[in-house]
Amino acid sequence: MLSKMNIGSLSLRNNIFLAPMAGITDLPFRVLTRKFGSSLCFTEMVSANGLVRRTHKSYEYLKSSPDDSPLAVQIFGSDPDILREAAGIVTALGADLIDINAGCPVKKVLKTGAGAALMRDPAKFGAIVKNVRKATHLPLTVKIRSGWGYDALNAIEIAGIAEDCGADALSLHPRTVKQGFSGTADWDLIGLAKKNIGIPVIGSGDIRKPEDALKMIEETGCDGVMVGRGALGNPWIFKGLTAFMSNGAMTDSPSMIEREEVIRRHLEMNIELYGKKMGVKNFRKHLLWYTKGLKGGNKFREAAVSVNEISELLEMVPEYLQTLSGGVSDAERL
Ligand SMILES: Cc1cc2nc3c(=O)[nH]c(=O)nc-3n(C[C@H](O)[C@H](O)[C@H](O)COP(=O)(O)O)c2cc1C
């Protein structure tokens, strides 16, 4: 069911969120998904070290605007004192919620003892949650995985520690670190977490179409869901999800005109944020996702990646979309 949801003191208009995704969930993408119904968006993971050391790049990730609210800022690191300091910085900068990353499986991050490495060090994990709790009055969430491997599934233990140390909600992506993003997410574990802790549980993993979100909530009893890869090139997934969950209605996939408007707006926002050169460069991956599964998409993508001028790109998109007749179903694109 689509329902309102509270995380600590934060009241959210619904229980469907945009998951944190590095390199993807920046200001333009968050604003787009909000228009389609996502009630809470997460920044990509931001280095606590970077914030404390005032690294320019880390602050770039925090760029926001009035139509980007409420905003959850995800921080990662391995030193409880640095995370406390970073939480203070993020709070002072006006975030609405702080999320601690304890689920990232990327080697570079694990090597520093951060991300999912924290699941192997429950004492340090607990110290981090406690420290961040002390540093901020903001709602606090923690995002975890199933565990290191199938022989080390400790999500429930870690979830209990998160609750005991003051987290207001838990997000669980039930794949192991070793699994990375392969295989399927083990939703049963989300149900188990829900049974074992008292704070709200947000499920993450494999939500690609409206029915999936409802199914995850019905099967696991989780309080909310977050959408990651299902939103790539597909920000309107939130419209479909919220409609289906509120009254079972299936929405039409967007018309080519609607697609064009969204793509154009996304590109414009990218250029506003990153400037012309970086804005176009950075937009290419989105363009590839937007045209995935569309007729003639391969040819279009080949041509689009070699374009440097925005004006040229802006002409190419409508020209290409006009060559298509009819929409494309979610089933077709995935
Ligand atoms: C490209 C990419 C980047 C991601 N970056 C982050 C991140 O910065 N922090 C985080 O907690 N999870 C991150 N995730 C994991 C997602 O938030 C989500 O838990 C996972 O993709 C499973 O959900 P999905 O099947 O809806 O994609 C990332 C996933 C992808 C695909």
Side-chain angles (χ1 to χ4, degrees):
M1 273 286 288
L2 191 71
S3 57
K4 292 188 174 160
M5 184 171 164
N6 293 332
I7 302 179
S9 56
L10 189 62
S11 299
L12 300 167
R13 70 192 157 100
N14 69 44
N15 50 348
I16 312 281
F17 314 138
L18 175 67
M21 285 184 285
I24 296 160
T25 56
D26 57 1
L27 174 62
F29 194 62
R30 293 194 304 264
V31 167
L32 271 190
T33 63
R34 289 179 193 281
K35 288 202 190 320
F36 288 108
S38 160
S39 74
L40 177 69
C41 295
F42 289 76
T43 64
E44 68 176 84
M45 51 192 263
V46 183
S47 160
N49 265 320
L51 290 173
V52 169
R53 293 201 191 124
R54 310 265 156 201
T55 311
H56 176 70
K57 185 94 190 146
S58 300
Y59 284 80
E60 291 263 292
Y61 297 138
L62 301 184
K63 281 194 175 157
S64 185
S65 63
D67 50 356
D68 181 36
S69 161
L71 178 64
V73 172
Q74 187 185 69
I75 52 177
F76 75 97
S78 65
D79 180 330
D81 292 330
I82 302 274
L83 273 131
R84 184 186 54 213
E85 219 179 306
I89 293 171
V90 169
T91 305
L93 288 174
D96 297 298
L97 181 153
I98 294 183
D99 183 45
I100 300 171
N101 181 315
C104 177
V106 173
K107 279 207 180 88
K108 216 169 89 183
V109 172
L110 296 177
K111 244 183 13 203
T112 66
L118 294 176
M119 293 190 70
R120 279 180 136 179
D121 192 344
K124 193 196 267 182
F125 171 78
I128 286 176
V129 181
K130 263 191 199 153
N131 259 14
V132 172
R133 178 69 292 165
K134 274 189 226 144
T136 186
H137 63 280
L138 294 176
L140 171 62
T141 57
V142 177
K143 186 158 177 284
I144 66 172
R145 281 191 170 235
S146 312
W148 198 263
Y150 289 118
D151 52 348
L153 295 175
N154 64 345
I156 305 305
E157 178 201 350
I158 295 291
I161 295 172
E163 178 173 28
D164 292 345
C165 295
D168 294 305
L170 176 94
S171 303
L172 173 56
H173 172 207
R175 281 187 173 86
T176 66
V177 176
K178 285 185 187 166
Q179 231 184 315
F181 291 92
S182 66
T184 50
D186 177 9
W187 289 3
D188 288 349
L189 214 52
I190 298 174
L192 205 58
K194 180 64 194 161
K195 284 200 187 86
N196 276 273
I197 58 174
I199 53 176
V201 173
I202 301 158
S204 168
D206 300 345
I207 292 182
R208 300 284 183 275
K209 51 188 191 307
E211 303 90 299
D212 298 336
L214 193 62
K215 193 162 170 242
M216 182 190 271
I217 291 179
E218 281 176 358
E219 279 180 13
T220 70
C222 67
D223 302 275
V225 301
M226 46 170 68
V227 183
R229 289 163 295 173
L232 302 182
N234 191 24
W236 38 78
I237 189 174
F238 289 97
K239 189 175 169 192
L241 282 175
T242 47
F244 186 75
M245 284 177 63
S246 57
N247 56 19
M250 290 301 272
T251 51
D252 292 333
S253 46
S255 68
M256 289 306 149
I257 291 172
E258 286 165 330
R259 265 168 213 270
E260 187 196 327
E261 269 169 23
V262 170
I263 297 172
R264 180 181 284 272
R265 183 70 198 120
H266 193 169
L267 176 58
E268 282 166 2
M269 286 194 289
N270 250 41
I271 291 164
E272 271 164 39
L273 183 64
Y274 299 112
K276 196 169 155 179
K277 195 166 168 220
M278 281 312 290
V280 172
K281 193 169 171 216
N282 170 298
F283 189 68
R284 290 199 177 132
K285 58 178 181 277
H286 291 287
L287 201 52
L288 303 192
W289 289 319
Y290 277 122
T291 54
K292 191 178 161 197
L294 295 181
K295 224 189 275 169
N298 286 346
K299 241 187 187 165
F300 169 74
R301 284 192 292 273
E302 266 169 36
V305 288
S306 59
V307 163
N308 279 319
E309 284 303 314
I310 314 171
S311 53
E312 223 181 301
L313 200 62
L314 281 176
E315 270 171 32
M316 280 177 78
V317 173
E319 267 172 25
Y320 167 62
L321 291 174
Q322 273 161 25
T323 65
L324 303 168
S325 55
V328 66
S329 71
D330 285 340
E332 277 175 282
R333 46 183 324 282
L334 293 171

